[in-house]
Amino acid sequence: MFTRLNLKTRINLVIAAILLIITFIGSALVIRHVRDSVAEETRSALQLAWEMVEASHLQGPLPDEQAAAWRAMLERLGQLRHVRLFIFQDGAPLPPPLSRPPSDVPAWFARLVQPPPAILEQAISTRQGRVLRVRLVADPADEIAEAWEETQLFLGLILFLAGGCFLAVYQVLGRAFQPVETVLTGLVALEREAYDHRLPDFPEPEWNRIARAFNHCAEVLQQTRRDNRSLTRQLLKVEEEERRALARELHDELGQTLSGIKMLAQSIRNNPKTEAAERAAGLIAAQVDHLFALLRAMIHRLRPLMLDDLGLCAALDALTDGWRQQHADIAIDLRCDPFVERLPAEHQIHVYRIVQEALTNAFRHAQPRKIAIRLEPHQNWLRIAIRDDGAGAEPSRLRQRGYGLRGMRERAESLGGRLQVTTAPGAGFTLTILLPFEEEARDHPCHAGG
């Protein structure tokens, strides 16, 4: 039940309990001190009265003419504080025990500070042989009444200090926990994907640090959402452009070629044994070869079949050979460790696309003379390094270079890896991608640079 309360209430309850314990201990110490004080005061008064009685007793048997004066003197002792005196002749019934409760004092307090009963008796003989018995009985009622007045002030002071301390702590905690609601409101806003929500500055440095961290997190999430939306739009755009290109090639190339084949076939049917028919048959064969090349190019754009048939290294060799044929003046050095074939099959296509996109970016933006591609194991990771000696760029302007770099980073992070870019104007580009071999490594934290 206690753990279900909020932190502020729990702290207040703990502080209240501590103050109650301190108040209880302080009250117990006060009661103990008052009890000892009452007992000591009563004992001192009783001792003084007893010494006076003893002094009278030492004079020996009293003559009858002095007994009355002596008795009157002893009765005046009964007027002492905290002492009651009783005189009776031997054989007379004893007076009842003294049990006069203190006036205006709570019974519980009187019971706590009441000292044990104290009674002293002395027998005084007269010359006529009579025996007078003197009984001194301690009566702490007045002392208890005075002690109660002082204890009321002291206990009131303790309660006042405890209550004041609790109120002060309550106010301080209330002010200290005021930002909690603001932070909780911000967290609810993040939960609802309101990433534009920001926390204000707080006067307390601890809460201000939390606010800065929260605002930075919200800004990162907001930027990430913008990037994701932009990337999604770009992917949709690329998808539509790819479909448009395929449709155009199917219409322009495949459609026209099939129409030409149909016309040539019709001419052969009309003139089956002429020289024109032979030329038409040759043209049909050439057109069919063109169609095969077109279909292979279209299929390769959709998915490199060599990747499934011969593996990742062979597919990358074919990819770089294609670029070498198109750009004979640029040296492309590919080194692919056979160890990369141990990657899961569903990961290999992503590695292929990363290298493909890196080459496309290099030829499109860098104007390099040399490109080096390395795929090799690095501890439990696959390390892909792609370097060129092209123009390079300012690292702060990498976000302005389109969606190629962002797409490679998204692919790497989706596999639990990370991508780092090293570049400078005139120093070329170096892409370093680390991808885990283990499936479980997808949960590893990744930090993409660049």
Side-chain angles (χ1 to χ4, degrees):
M1 182 65 181
F2 182 76
T3 56
R4 296 180 181 177
L5 301 174
N6 59 54
L7 180 60
K8 178 182 176 182
T9 303
R10 282 186 285 172
I11 293 177
N12 285 325
L13 289 177
V14 170
I15 293 175
I18 293 174
L19 291 175
L20 286 176
I21 293 173
I22 294 175
T23 303
F24 176 78
I25 294 175
S27 301
L29 293 176
V30 169
I31 296 297
R32 180 180 177 181
H33 175 74
V34 169
R35 184 175 65 246
D36 295 341
S37 177
V38 169
E40 182 63 28
E41 186 72 20
T42 303
R43 185 168 51 252
S44 298
L46 187 62
Q47 185 65 29
L48 176 62
W50 178 251
E51 290 176 356
M52 296 178 67
V53 171
E54 282 287 321
S56 301
H57 174 63
L58 294 176
Q59 297 177 3
L62 295 174
D64 289 343
E65 60 273 12
Q66 294 181 1
W70 175 82
R71 185 167 184 170
M73 184 271 293
L74 290 180
E75 287 178 348
R76 284 197 296 271
L77 292 177
Q79 299 177 3
L80 292 174
R81 284 165 54 90
H82 318 319
V83 177
R84 296 295 176 265
L85 182 140
F86 300 94
I87 302 175
F88 51 94
Q89 292 185 0
D90 195 14
L94 295 175
L98 185 66
S99 59
R100 180 169 65 90
S103 59
D104 301 329
V105 176
W108 63 268
F109 181 79
R111 286 195 301 270
L112 291 175
V113 302
Q114 181 81 34
I119 300 175
L120 297 176
E121 292 187 2
Q122 181 66 50
I124 307 296
S125 300
T126 65
R127 292 179 180 178
Q128 285 74 24
R130 291 184 301 169
V131 178
L132 299 177
R133 298 184 64 185
V134 179
R135 170 172 286 189
L136 296 175
V137 181
D139 182 14
D142 294 337
E143 186 67 22
I144 292 176
E146 293 179 1
W148 170 243
E149 293 179 0
E150 296 177 358
T151 304
Q152 278 184 296
L153 294 175
F154 196 80
L155 292 180
L157 180 61
I158 291 179
L159 292 175
F160 175 77
L161 291 176
C165 181
F166 178 78
L167 289 177
V169 171
Y170 182 83
Q171 291 294 331
V172 171
L173 284 178
R175 292 187 60 184
F177 276 85
Q178 280 180 353
V180 172
E181 292 298 327
T182 305
V183 173
L184 290 177
T185 302
L187 292 176
V188 172
L190 288 188
E191 184 181 7
R192 295 175 179 174
E193 299 183 0
Y195 300 139
D196 56 345
H197 186 89
R198 297 292 184 271
L199 294 182
D201 291 334
F202 298 108
E204 297 83 2
E206 294 81 7
W207 287 110
N208 212 26
R209 289 174 59 189
I210 293 175
R212 288 197 298 268
F214 176 92
N215 292 338
H216 176 70
C217 178
E219 184 176 352
V220 171
L221 290 174
Q222 188 177 23
Q223 182 62 39
T224 302
R225 184 169 63 178
R226 286 197 294 263
D227 291 345
N228 288 339
R229 288 177 176 175
S230 179
L231 183 61
T232 300
R233 289 194 297 269
Q234 180 65 17
L235 290 176
L236 293 175
K237 179 181 178 181
V238 170
E239 182 181 355
E240 289 301 322
E241 290 178 353
E242 190 72 17
R243 289 178 177 178
R244 186 182 301 110
L246 289 174
R248 183 172 57 252
E249 291 182 10
L250 289 174
H251 177 270
D252 296 342
E253 297 288 340
L254 187 61
Q256 294 180 8
T257 302
L258 289 176
S259 298
I261 291 174
K262 181 179 179 181
M263 294 175 61
L264 292 172
Q266 185 67 32
S267 67
I268 293 174
R269 188 175 61 179
N270 295 333
N271 302 288
K273 295 181 180 181
T274 62
E275 183 179 353
E278 292 181 2
R279 287 196 304 270
L283 290 174
I284 289 176
Q287 294 288 344
V288 170
D289 291 338
H290 175 70
L291 285 179
F292 278 131
L294 177 63
L295 289 176
R296 280 196 300 267
M298 294 174 64
I299 292 172
H300 186 77
R301 286 168 57 186
L302 296 174
R303 169 130 184 140
L305 297 181
M306 188 175 294
L307 181 64
D308 299 326
D309 298 335
L310 301 178
L312 179 59
C313 289
L316 292 176
D317 280 333
L319 176 66
T320 54
D321 285 341
W323 282 106
R324 290 190 189 99
Q325 294 175 10
Q326 299 178 35
H327 303 274
D329 57 331
I330 298 177
I332 303 177
D333 181 18
L334 171 66
R335 297 183 186 179
C336 182
D337 194 295
F339 190 73
V340 303
E341 304 295 347
R342 295 173 55 182
L343 272 177
E346 62 271 18
H347 292 189
Q348 293 186 16
I349 183 61
H350 293 290
V351 174
Y352 180 89
R353 295 303 185 193
I354 288 173
V355 176
Q356 184 182 45
E357 184 64 32
L359 288 173
T360 302
N361 285 347
F363 284 106
R364 181 179 299 170
H365 302 292
Q367 293 86 42
R369 294 185 303 274
K370 297 180 182 179
I371 300 176
I373 305 171
R374 301 289 184 268
L375 288 86
E376 55 194 5
H378 179 71
Q379 297 178 357
N380 292 328
W381 301 77
L382 169 63
R383 184 174 181 270
I384 307 171
I386 305 171
R387 301 183 182 88
D388 66 61
D389 61 352
E394 283 287 347
S396 59
R397 302 183 62 185
L398 291 180
R399 287 185 175 272
Q400 304 175 10
R401 296 183 62 89
Y403 296 91
L405 187 60
R406 189 183 305 171
M408 287 188 285
R409 180 181 295 112
E410 292 289 339
R411 286 184 184 272
E413 292 180 357
S414 69
L415 300 178
R418 55 179 178 264
L419 179 145
Q420 182 178 1
V421 179
T422 304
T423 185
F429 260 86
T430 299
L431 296 180
T432 304
I433 301 99
L434 290 177
L435 299 178
F437 279 105
E438 294 83 7
E439 191 72 19
E440 292 76 14
R442 287 191 173 207
D443 297 330
H444 292 178
C446 55
H447 304 282

